[in-house]
Amino acid sequence: MRAVVVKKLGPPESLSIENVPTPVPDDGEVLVDFHACSINYPDLLFMAGKYQVVPDLPFSPGFDAAGVVSAVDGGVKNLKPGDRVMVRLPRGGGYAEQAVSSEHLCYPMPDDMSFVDAAAMGMVYQTAYFGLLDRGYYKEGETVMVNGASGGVGIASVQLAKALGATVLAAVSKPERGEVVRAAGADHVIDLSTDDLRESLRQQVFAVTDGKGADVILDSIGGAVFEASLRALAWCGRIVIVGYMSGDIPSVKTNYIMIKNIAVSGLSAANYLYRTPEWTARAQQELFDLYTQGKLEPHVMKTYPLEDYMEALNVVRNREVQGKVVMTFKNGA
């Protein structure tokens, strides 16, 4: 089979397409023929050795993919060859025509879902789900602000918050991206490109919340945006850290948290895959149900064949993505 392989940790230029042996499923594992694989910003960190896990070399990136089960080990109970599944791959492997995965990391797809949509509904939608409902303690009818709202996690969070009955504020760094976040369900667009963000962010949020502020904020940017967002929280508000796209990891003054009665929490969605696999499976089924009901729809900006992986990664590296980009394989995507 063909795979994009990392032989040396570093930038995408160090990758190459290679013919590698087809993996064999072990106890409780399935072999999946991939049709599509999502490309995420953390892929760049993963191949550079800057992610939470660094697998042994060589390896293939790719944290979520979709395809058809082609073989199962005898210990597999609920899947069989021919089943269509979305697969989460916390240690990578999606940039390949085939991969093995534990059965509990494979989620049967709705009959009417394309492989491209399924691949785009893995990491980012699970992050949105656990960010809002577990770490953010979202309650129906609250106001949710999503920072970096035009990206993969951002679009997923906007759509999910709206589907769950929130008033949604979509914060974007480029005003021209307002159209895509409104199409995803945002009620108001917050401009992160303004001067004096510390003051202007709060002013914009207070202007559309009658001076109350946001109940829940999902922040994937960090730096000055995170610091300004603290000031835009409502009393007893919650801000959830899901990433640092700015590359700037901020500090928090705990006296401000105390005085304003707010909560700051972090989220690593991959932890749920191992610590609470049953909960993750239920969450993914809920997300698929919302898709079937027409309440969630991945915004796939563009698809790229395996051969064009470098072009796809450059779009992600240059922060040009609105929603998702997805790699496709000749298995039938």
Side-chain angles (χ1 to χ4, degrees):
M1 70 169 189
R2 294 186 306 159
V4 176
V5 178
V6 178
K7 290 184 174 181
K8 179 182 178 181
L9 298 178
E13 285 78 8
S14 63
L15 304 178
S16 60
I17 296 179
E18 311 240 344
N19 286 310
V20 299
T22 298
V24 178
D26 201 347
D27 185 40
E29 292 183 335
V30 302
L31 175 66
V32 182
D33 295 340
F34 288 148
H35 291 217
C37 175
S38 177
I39 297 177
N40 300 287
Y41 180 78
D43 295 353
L44 296 168
L45 303 177
F46 190 57
M47 63 185 67
K50 298 179 180 179
Y51 198 60
Q52 292 99 318
V53 295
V54 181
D56 295 334
L57 295 169
F59 64 86
S60 291
F63 294 121
D64 35 18
V68 177
V69 175
S70 62
V72 302
D73 175 78
V76 173
K77 299 178 180 179
N78 300 311
L79 293 174
K80 64 184 184 304
D83 286 346
R84 302 166 73 247
V85 293
M86 185 272 281
V87 185
R88 290 285 280 112
L89 301 152
R91 298 191 66 84
Y95 288 20
E97 292 176 327
Q98 297 171 296
V100 293
S101 172
S102 298
E103 179 183 18
H104 78 271
L105 297 177
C106 297
Y107 309 96
M109 296 164 45
D111 292 338
D112 61 346
M113 177 177 279
S114 71
F115 290 112
V116 168
D117 277 358
M121 282 201 72
M123 173 187 284
V124 295
Y125 279 86
Q126 288 182 7
T127 298
Y129 182 96
F130 289 114
L132 282 169
L133 297 175
D134 185 35
R135 309 305 292 148
Y137 298 100
Y138 166 76
K139 296 183 288 291
E140 186 175 0
E142 289 188 317
T143 297
V144 173
M145 182 165 78
V146 180
N147 293 339
S150 64
V153 172
I155 291 287
S157 299
V158 168
Q159 289 184 353
L160 181 59
K162 193 62 183 177
L164 297 176
T167 298
V168 183
L169 316 184
V172 295
S173 57
K174 296 181 180 180
E176 62 268 23
R177 294 187 175 182
E179 183 178 347
V180 71
V181 296
R182 286 190 184 278
D187 298 286
H188 306 282
V189 177
I190 305 298
D191 185 2
L192 298 177
S193 68
T194 58
D195 294 332
D196 192 8
L197 186 63
R198 185 174 184 272
E199 292 296 332
S200 67
L201 179 58
R202 181 169 64 173
Q203 291 171 0
Q204 291 179 74
V205 172
F206 279 19
V208 296
T209 59
D210 294 326
K212 176 187 174 184
D215 299 296
V216 181
I217 298 177
L218 300 184
D219 180 59
S220 60
I221 299 177
V225 172
F226 171 84
E227 293 168 355
S229 296
L230 285 177
R231 294 164 53 81
L233 276 171
W235 184 77
C236 288
R238 292 85 69 197
I239 186 167
V240 183
I241 303 164
V242 299
Y244 304 102
M245 291 287 287
S246 68
D248 183 358
I249 299 176
S251 299
V252 180
K253 293 183 178 180
T254 56
N255 63 326
Y256 188 78
I257 296 173
M258 180 187 70
I259 292 169
K260 201 167 180 178
N261 231 50
I262 58 179
V264 178
S265 62
L267 170 69
S268 175
N271 286 332
Y272 293 82
L273 299 173
Y274 295 117
R275 294 179 179 272
T276 60
E278 297 85 3
W279 188 8
T280 305
R282 291 196 304 271
Q284 190 61 52
Q285 185 57 57
E286 290 179 32
L287 292 167
F288 282 158
D289 289 345
L290 289 171
Y291 174 93
T292 300
Q293 295 165 21
K295 296 181 178 180
L296 298 180
E297 182 180 0
H299 180 80
V300 178
M301 188 179 81
K302 190 172 180 179
T303 62
Y304 295 85
L306 173 65
E307 295 78 9
D308 293 341
Y309 73 89
M310 192 65 216
E311 183 180 350
L313 284 169
N314 277 331
V315 171
V316 175
R317 180 167 54 179
N318 295 335
R319 311 291 175 87
E320 298 170 356
V321 178
Q322 296 184 48
K324 297 289 295 178
V325 292
V326 174
M327 181 187 300
T328 58
F329 304 93
K330 292 181 180 179
N331 288 329

